[in-house]
Amino acid sequence: MNTESRNPKTMHLDQMTPLEIARVMNEENARSVASLEAVLPQIAQAIDMITDAFSRGGRLLYMGAGTSGRLAVVDASECPPTFGVSPEKVIGICAGGMEALVRSSENLEDDPNEGILELQKRNLNPNDVVVGISASGGAAYVCNAVSYAREMGCGTVAITCNPGSRLGTLADIDISPATGPEVLSGSTRLKAGNAQKMILNMLSTGAMVRSGYVYENLMINLKPSNQKLRKRVISIVREITELEEDAAVALLEKGAWNIKEAIRLWKEGGAE
């Protein structure tokens, strides 16, 4: 597998200076970014699939193990604060649950049934989309879950870094950038992890944009849950309305700090 082979540029990694290590890692990271160019059409197809699922009341469920599972949970957990959606709209499932997020549990990727059970616990239905994430594309936990989801009539997507993997053959859409061998052989938290995170970001952000949670490039569903986000909400309203800060705050207070409601009030004549 590409992700398990040795990188000829780092055969003497243990003898490199700190600067040489940083430079070769930076160069290889750039290669992982470039590898996404070839799979942008598949990413776009997946964005359309997820957007359609959202329009039917469906959910986006990420399935992964190890690094892939942790990345899935991170992306899913960022959707509520960024887009103001329910935590049930985008769900990240990592083999081993919460414990696996902070403690290694890589052996769980070999369990052929646990992923299916996790989907059953969440009452999977045909309106949902299941995205399986596995750097190698061979994790039984992920492969069997995706296969089950497809049998249930769900849209399915595979994210791997090994073109032609088993997982890729099981999904409706196969997103498999050829990131190549890692700087540290087999350590897929590096280039493969970079690529997977970027793809997850594209899928969730693209689907939310297409579903109306964004105006221009502004997060109009943002919830002001802390001081930083409160300032950002005020800034977004000012950007759209071109009002001074006091006037923008007045609109937001009248609209219960909901950006869309504040804009509606502004269009109807302001906060007076």
Side-chain angles (χ1 to χ4, degrees):
M1 294 185 292
N2 289 332
T3 53
E4 297 297 321
S5 58
R6 297 185 70 183
N7 191 322
K9 293 185 177 181
T10 59
M11 295 294 286
H12 304 293
L13 185 65
D14 61 334
Q15 299 173 31
M16 291 183 180
T17 67
L19 179 58
E20 289 171 336
I21 292 171
R23 178 171 288 118
V24 74
M25 290 188 73
N26 191 51
E27 290 172 353
E28 290 300 296
N29 284 339
R31 292 178 184 275
S32 71
V33 175
S35 72
L36 298 189
E37 182 67 31
V39 296
L40 291 179
Q42 289 76 31
I43 293 173
Q45 290 173 18
I47 289 172
D48 272 341
M49 175 185 283
I50 297 163
T51 303
D52 182 59
F54 285 166
S55 73
R56 292 182 279 110
R59 301 165 297 172
L60 169 59
L61 295 96
Y62 293 141
M63 298 288 303
T67 297
S68 298
R70 296 179 193 109
L71 290 171
V73 171
V74 168
D75 192 73
S77 67
E78 292 291 345
C79 288
T82 304
F83 301 107
V85 297
S86 163
E88 298 303 311
K89 195 173 189 72
V90 182
I91 300 171
I93 303 172
C94 181
M98 293 298 294
E99 178 71 13
L101 299 182
V102 295
R103 196 178 299 273
S104 176
S105 56
E106 267 57 22
N107 60 304
L108 294 176
E109 73 177 51
D110 297 327
D111 191 315
N113 300 314
E114 192 61 30
I116 295 173
L117 292 175
E118 289 294 334
L119 292 178
Q120 290 174 340
K121 287 178 188 176
R122 290 165 175 81
N123 298 314
L124 190 72
N125 71 80
N127 289 327
D128 298 329
V129 170
V130 173
V131 177
I133 310 128
S134 168
S136 68
Y141 177 95
V142 181
C143 289
N144 288 15
V146 167
S147 180
Y148 169 76
R150 196 170 185 181
E151 290 173 5
M152 288 287 292
C154 301
T156 54
V157 180
I159 300 176
T160 86
C161 294
N162 273 316
S165 71
R166 179 187 173 214
L167 180 58
T169 65
L170 295 172
D172 297 309
I173 300 172
D174 179 16
I175 304 174
S176 296
T179 54
E182 298 287 358
V183 168
L184 185 62
S185 298
S187 183
T188 52
R189 67 187 178 88
L190 302 176
K191 291 199 301 183
N194 292 341
Q196 289 175 322
K197 184 181 188 302
M198 288 186 286
I199 293 168
L200 292 170
N201 288 165
M202 292 178 190
L203 296 186
S204 58
T205 302
M208 292 296 178
V209 171
R210 298 289 292 172
S211 297
Y213 292 96
V214 173
Y215 172 71
E216 294 182 347
N217 62 351
L218 299 171
M219 296 182 284
I220 55 171
N221 261 50
L222 186 68
K223 305 301 182 187
S225 54
N226 61 28
Q227 287 298 316
K228 179 187 75 174
L229 295 180
R230 180 186 171 95
K231 290 178 180 178
R232 186 175 293 164
V233 166
I234 295 170
S235 177
I236 289 171
V237 171
R238 291 189 64 192
E239 180 73 24
I240 295 172
T241 64
E242 298 184 350
L243 292 172
E244 294 298 324
E245 183 169 334
D246 288 348
V249 170
L251 277 173
L252 284 162
E253 288 177 342
K254 191 170 182 179
W257 285 86
N258 181 292
I259 295 174
K260 288 182 177 179
E261 181 63 13
I263 300 305
R264 186 188 68 78
L265 290 168
W266 170 67
K267 288 182 176 180
E268 292 181 354
E272 38 310 276

